[in-house]
Amino acid sequence: MFRGESSIVIDDKGRLAIPKGYRALLAEHWGEPVRLTLTIGLTPDIEQHRWLVAYPAPEWEAYEAKLNEVSPFDWEARKVSGMLIGHANDVELDRQGRFVIPPSLRSFASLGPRATIVGQGREFELWDEDGRNKWRDESIASIGRILANPSPGLLAINR
């Protein structure tokens, strides 16, 4: 589905235009009007790297249903699901394929005027351009270690 990386501009009102290819995919697979759900990206190094994740609304609804199945007695899982659901915001694309990123999410991800959209299959990420470059450089530096001792998740996708 969503692949690749695109540089975008966020205006003073917090609006950004989705790349044309992504807009076409959204309309084709999920219909119009195009609705997205934005939430925070979670990672073990969230203190250093922050970004947003945009889900087509139907994809988010299915994901949120799973998050709502978390046991009320599993405090760690509730913290994670609560962060994702609690920060989720619905947006709708206008005729020009733009939407406004809520100020709280812009602040969380330190989004300035230059940003990057990164496809992740069924969703895509929104990064501050400098933050994305830093994260990518750090990730590249750790790839050798990761591949030398692959996780069960990586081994599961091996052909």
Side-chain angles (χ1 to χ4, degrees), residues 52-74:
L52 305 179
V53 183
Y55 296 87
E59 292 290 326
W60 170 257
E61 289 161 6
Y63 187 47
E64 185 177 34
K66 292 177 185 177
L67 291 170
N68 281 320
E69 293 175 7
V70 168
S71 167
F73 302 106
D74 185 340

Side-chain angles (χ1 to χ4, degrees), residues 80-152:
V80 170
S81 67
M83 290 291 288
L84 292 170
I85 294 170
H87 288 89
N89 283 263
D90 295 326
V91 298
E92 192 170 302
L93 273 62
D94 66 14
R95 289 185 201 146
Q96 288 79 35
R98 301 175 305 181
F99 66 88
V100 176
I101 302 170
S104 62
L105 291 178
R106 269 186 285 155
S107 176
F108 170 83
S110 302
L111 291 173
R114 298 178 53 83
T116 304
I117 288 182
V118 184
Q120 295 295 321
R122 293 188 172 269
E123 68 270 353
F124 55 90
E125 299 171 345
L126 298 169
W127 286 79
D128 172 72
E129 187 175 74
D130 292 337
R132 171 65 181 172
N133 291 339
K134 181 179 177 191
W135 185 86
R136 182 181 45 233
D137 291 346
E138 290 174 8
S139 295
I140 288 169
S142 66
I143 288 291
R145 177 186 51 77
I146 292 168
L147 294 176
N149 188 19
S151 69

